[in-house]
Amino acid sequence: MRTFTYQALPMRVRFGSGMLNELPDELDALELASAIVLCTPAQGQLGHAVNDILGDAGRGVYAHAEMHIPLSRAEAARAFAEERGAAAVVCIGGGSTTGLGKAIALTSGLPIIAVPTTYAGSEMTPIWGLTDHSVKKTGRDPRVLPRSVIYDPELTYTLPARVSVTSGVNAIAHAAEALYAPDASPIISLMAEEGARTMLAALPAVSTNLGHQHGRWEALYAAWLCGAVLGATTMGLHHKLCHILGGTFNLPHADTHTVVLPYVLAFNLAAAPRAREALARATNTDTPAAAVKKLADSLGAPPSLASLGMPADGIAEVVRQAVDSPYSNPRAVAAEELTALLTDAHTGAWPREDILL
C-alpha cells in the first residue's frame, strides 16, 4: 500500500426521487433564511417553479446563466443577489448555472445549494472558472464549494439524448484525470473507476430511453462520484485543453470534453499504467480511449472539433496557450505532439492508442 493523503470535502448530499421538494428543509438545515435562484434562459420556467417551492424564502430568479461564465455576467448576477438581499444562491441546471453561482460566491461568500439537472459534476468541486476577453481562468477556492447538493433523478428524465451523452462523457473525463492525477489516492481511484464504469453502462440506456428510471439514477450517481474525484484532485491536460477551447472559441463545454477525451486518454495512458488498468476494467476492453470514442460516436455525440465549429487555424493558438501555462500531467507535453493530438481531434480521426513511451 502506497502512502497518500486524502481530505474529504465538506458537503451535504440529498439523493432521491422528489428531493427537489425538500429544498426548504435544506435551507432550514443550513440556517439560511432566503435565496435567489439561478438558471439558464431555457430553464426559466423551472427556475420560477423552484422559487415557488422556496415560498417566502424565494427572492427571485436570475435566468441568465451561460457557458464559460463571462466576467460581466458574473458581476451582474452578483449585483442581483445583493439587490434582493439573498442569504444564499440556489443553482438549478448544469455546469453553467453552478459556475455562475460559484462566481457569485467567490467574491460575496454567499453559500450555494446546487440542484443538478445534468451530469456535469461541478456541484461537487471547489473549482471556479471565469472568462474575460476570450481567456478562461480557473482556480480553486473553498468559498465556491456548494454547501449542499440535491440530486433528484426526476429532474434528468427530460434531458435530451445528446446532452445526456456529452454530459456523461464530461463526467467520465473527470474520473479519468483523477485516476492519473499526482494527488490521487486509493480512495479516489476506487470512486473514479466506479464512476466511470457506472456512467459507461448507463449512457446507452438513457440515450435511447429518456425516461429510463434505473439508467437516470445510475447516471446521476456516477456524476456525483466523478465530480467528487475531480474536486479532490489536480486537473491535467484534458481539462487544460477544454478550458482553452471553450474560453477562446466559445465551444460548448460538454461537447468539447466529449470530443477531446479519447485523444488525451490515448496520449496519457501510456504513461499512467494504473489509470490504464482501471479504465480497461471500466470499459471492459484493452483500449479504453477507443472504447470511449466508439461509445460516444455510436450514441450520436459530435465526432470532431470541426463539427463544433472550431477553425483549423486555431490549433496553433490552443497549443501556444497549453504549452505556455501547462497543467500537471503524467506525460510531458511538447508542442509537436500536442499539435498532432489536436489535429486528430479536429478531424475526428481514430485515437492513436498504440503510442508507447
Side-chain angles (χ1 to χ4, degrees):
M1 176 67 75
R2 62 189 187 275
T3 60
F4 64 91
T5 299
Y6 172 74
Q7 180 174 337
L9 297 175
M11 173 73 66
R12 281 175 56 89
V13 173
R14 293 192 183 210
F15 192 110
S17 183
M19 276 295 174
L20 178 61
N21 294 316
E22 304 294 321
L23 184 56
D25 292 340
E26 194 60 19
L27 234 64
D28 290 343
L30 298 175
E31 299 182 343
L32 298 171
S34 62
I36 61 165
V37 179
L38 303 181
C39 63
T40 63
Q43 291 185 302
Q45 185 175 355
L46 178 59
H48 284 284
V50 171
N51 193 61
D52 290 343
I53 289 173
L54 289 172
D56 292 341
R59 292 292 186 269
V61 179
Y62 187 84
H64 304 288
E66 57 185 299
M67 291 190 307
H68 309 303
I69 324 302
L71 180 60
S72 59
R73 178 64 65 200
E75 292 171 343
R78 194 179 305 121
F80 180 84
E82 183 177 354
E83 172 194 323
R84 297 302 177 96
V89 177
V90 173
C91 306
I92 184 155
S96 297
T97 303
T98 302
L100 182 58
K102 289 179 175 183
I104 294 173
L106 185 63
T107 55
S108 71
L110 287 179
I112 299 169
I113 298 176
V115 187
T117 62
T118 72
Y119 309 130
S122 59
E123 68 277 358
M124 296 303 296
T125 81
I127 301 168
W128 58 267
L130 286 168
T131 301
D132 189 29
H133 295 97
S134 298
V135 176
K136 186 170 184 176
K137 296 181 180 180
T138 63
R140 286 176 180 263
D141 194 303
R143 291 175 295 178
V144 310
L145 180 71
R147 293 272 300 279
S148 176
V149 179
I150 294 177
Y151 286 109
D152 187 340
E154 291 184 13
L155 296 174
T156 67
Y157 288 172
T158 58
L159 191 64
R162 172 166 164 156
V163 179
S164 299
V165 172
T166 57
S167 178
V169 178
N170 183 11
I172 294 168
H174 304 334
E177 293 230 297
L179 285 166
Y180 55 63
D183 45 2
S185 70
I187 307 302
I188 291 298
S189 296
L190 282 171
M191 294 170 66
E193 183 177 336
E194 169 71 358
R197 181 195 64 77
T198 304
M199 186 64 81
L200 286 162
L203 286 181
V206 302
S207 66
T208 56
N209 181 356
L210 299 184
H212 193 292
Q213 183 174 357
H214 179 72
R216 290 294 182 186
W217 280 62
E218 289 287 283
L220 201 57
Y221 161 69
W224 173 6
L225 291 177
C226 294
V229 298
L230 173 69
T233 54
T234 302
M235 294 182 291
L237 175 63
H238 172 81
H239 281 83
K240 180 65 177 182
L241 292 178
C242 290
H243 291 159
I244 296 170
L245 288 163
T248 304
F249 300 102
N250 199 37
L251 301 185
H253 182 78
D255 290 15
T256 303
H257 277 272
T258 299
V259 170
V260 171
L261 179 60
Y263 303 99
V264 175
L265 290 181
F267 179 82
N268 271 342
L269 292 184
R274 284 179 174 163
R276 174 182 280 277
E277 291 168 6
L279 290 173
R281 290 190 295 268
T283 59
N284 197 31
T285 70
D286 293 328
T287 54
V292 172
K293 171 72 170 168
K294 181 178 180 180
L295 177 67
D297 285 358
S298 71
L299 298 180
S304 65
L305 290 175
S307 71
L308 300 181
M310 182 198 167
D313 59 8
I315 291 175
E317 175 59 20
V318 179
V319 171
R320 183 194 68 77
Q321 291 188 43
V323 172
D324 285 352
S325 181
Y327 283 6
S328 175
N329 199 60
R331 181 174 176 180
V333 179
E336 183 177 355
E337 294 171 324
L338 197 52
T339 299
L341 184 160
L342 286 166
T343 299
D344 285 349
H346 189 266
T347 61
W350 204 247
R352 306 184 190 192
E353 204 156 11
D354 59 345
I355 295 175
L356 297 175
L357 298 183

